[in-house]
Amino acid sequence: MAQKTATAPSTPLDLSNGVNVAIGATSGPLHQNQPLHLWATGDIDAHAYEAVYNPARISLADAEASIRTQLAEYSVQVASFLNDDPPLTAAQRGPEWQARYGCNPECQLDHSGSDGEPGWHSTAPIETEHRSIDDNFTTAENAKLPLLGAQIVVDNYKSQAYGRHTSVWLHLGTTTGTLTPGQAREALTAIRGFVAEFEAVVDQAEALAADDFDGDPEIARLDREADNRRTSAISRSRAEVCA
């Protein structure tokens, strides 16, 4: 079992129904070289605690049991664990799995579960932590999507008849582009060039923004009222002409 790594909540929490704990595996060194590291986030709406564990030193079940014990000492009950572990690859599931579903080693679909047997295979998407920025959607809607994402998809449905095809799905908010590996390489080259130019744009914008200021709300109100009067006068004039 891990030594204590939890800390008492830094903000008052409603503990009547327990708290959620996000947990994920890592192969890197943890705090004080422990097999498990747990810390408070203060965000009870999502998960009040986060934890990482080293699966080479402690199982997921033992990690969860340790977390329950540690938090119980602070009179905190765990409502549920939100597992952040990435899905297993076909290679991790073994050769029998790959043969049964025709998987390439990198496929991370659970064909025996919710993903079924679609005749195609996919890696889990990589995503930017930065969320989508589409002006046509609300902040909450954008928060559900990454700014950028990408994944590999292999289609081998009835391959003897239709062949086997590998593509890269490139996601930009709600938009997805299906690219061949060659087209994906071209897009990557273009993105690299754009990043350098975008950095120059951001540098210039930051310099220009030094002269930005907020307007006077009272002057803005008077301006809107004047615009409304002009619009009303124009509407009345047109109505008189048409009468």
Side-chain angles (χ1 to χ4, degrees):
M1 279 301 176
Q3 296 180 11
K4 290 186 182 67
T5 55
T7 55
S10 56
T11 56
L13 299 176
D14 177 8
L15 305 178
S16 57
N17 296 317
V19 297
N20 295 326
V21 179
I23 184 170
T26 181
S27 58
L30 297 181
H31 180 68
Q32 295 182 348
N33 199 32
Q34 294 295 306
L36 169 67
H37 180 44
L38 171 69
W39 66 94
T41 65
D43 182 8
I44 193 171
D45 292 331
H47 45 267
Y49 288 85
E50 293 182 358
V52 290
Y53 70 100
N54 186 335
R57 300 183 59 190
I58 187 173
S59 69
L60 175 60
D62 283 346
E64 291 180 350
S66 177
I67 290 169
R68 290 185 186 277
T69 300
Q70 292 182 46
L71 293 183
E73 295 186 13
Y74 297 106
S75 299
V76 177
Q77 301 299 314
V78 177
S80 64
F81 287 99
L82 310 176
N83 198 320
D84 284 342
D85 287 349
L88 295 175
T89 65
Q92 291 172 320
R93 294 179 187 272
E96 182 180 343
W97 176 278
Q98 294 184 61
R100 182 186 307 158
Y101 297 109
C103 283
N104 52 297
E106 294 78 18
C107 177
Q108 290 176 288
L109 296 183
D110 181 6
H111 297 297
S112 65
S114 59
D115 296 320
E117 300 182 44
W120 60 277
H121 310 274
S122 173
T123 60
I126 59 168
E127 298 180 345
T128 57
E129 291 187 12
H130 197 79
R131 311 317 286 169
S132 181
I133 55 173
D134 196 323
D135 288 341
N136 295 313
F137 296 94
T138 66
T139 299
E141 290 171 331
N142 279 328
K144 298 177 182 178
L145 298 168
L147 177 62
L148 287 171
Q151 64 195 109
I152 301 170
V153 174
V154 177
D155 183 353
N156 65 355
Y157 176 71
K158 295 183 178 180
S159 58
Q160 289 186 333
Y162 303 108
R164 180 182 183 276
H165 304 281
T166 299
S167 59
V168 175
W169 287 3
L170 180 60
H171 310 291
L172 174 59
T174 59
T175 301
T176 296
T178 301
L179 309 172
T180 66
Q183 290 171 330
R185 177 65 64 183
E186 292 175 356
L188 175 60
T189 300
I191 290 171
R192 283 174 173 159
F194 175 79
V195 166
E197 295 183 12
F198 184 48
E199 183 173 10
V201 169
V202 172
D203 289 343
Q204 185 177 12
E206 288 175 337
L208 292 172
D211 295 326
D212 288 356
F213 60 90
D214 293 327
D216 187 317
E218 180 61 17
I219 295 176
R221 182 185 65 80
L222 295 173
D223 182 66
R224 288 193 297 272
E225 291 177 354
D227 280 341
N228 290 336
R229 288 194 297 270
R230 285 194 294 270
T231 300
S232 297
I234 293 173
S235 297
R236 287 195 300 271
S237 176
R238 289 176 176 173
E240 291 172 358
V241 170
C242 294

